[in-house]
Amino acid sequence: VYSYAHLTLLSPISLPLDNLQLKSYLTSALSQFLGQTGLGIPIDILHLDPTSSSSSSSAWVRLPRPDLAAFSAAITAFPGISYGDEKIVLKVEAAGDYLGALVGKGEEQDIWGA
């Protein structure tokens, strides 16, 4: 019984993103917002696209369904990570209980937004 979230990492500079860095950013967001409770939320990285565009990376994660609201709130409230004078920010693009519906919604935006 899982929920899914589509995340975007926005950065003013081009930084390669890997699973370890993403996990670190998620851990920071969850611990700052929820403390030790946030660190206890198990998160699986399902897909990572480190080069979605020059200034953003995209990721799909899976987490327990009861934790989705807290996870989304933590990511939304996360002020970002300072990298020199620049700020790296996480954004929740979509979240829900059915992965197929979320993926379809993203493809719908690609079709109708073009």
Side-chain angles (χ1 to χ4, degrees):
V1 185
Y2 294 103
S3 287
Y4 303 89
H6 180 209
L7 306 173
T8 300
L9 182 93
L10 303 171
S11 172
I13 54 177
S14 181
L15 291 174
L17 182 67
D18 60 22
N19 288 347
L20 189 58
Q21 286 176 313
L22 177 59
K23 186 69 171 175
S24 173
Y25 297 156
L26 294 175
T27 300
S28 294
L30 291 168
S31 67
Q32 285 183 22
F33 190 74
L34 301 167
Q36 293 296 318
T37 303
L39 295 176
I41 297 174
I43 299 171
D44 299 320
I45 299 171
L46 300 178
H47 178 73
L48 177 64
D49 183 4
T51 57
S52 294
S53 73
S54 61
S55 64
S56 69
S57 299
S58 177
W60 289 88
V61 297
R62 177 178 70 181
L63 59 146
R65 189 171 287 174
D67 296 324
L68 180 61
F71 173 84
S72 296
I75 299 302
T76 301
F78 186 54
I81 298 156
S82 295
Y83 189 82
D85 292 337
E86 307 296 339
K87 188 75 95 163
I88 299 169
V89 180
L90 287 168
K91 178 182 175 186
V92 177
E93 294 290 340
D97 296 336
Y98 302 102
L99 183 58
L102 293 176
V103 171
K105 189 70 169 168
E107 290 175 359
E108 179 182 301
Q109 289 174 356
D110 290 342
I111 292 169
W112 296 110

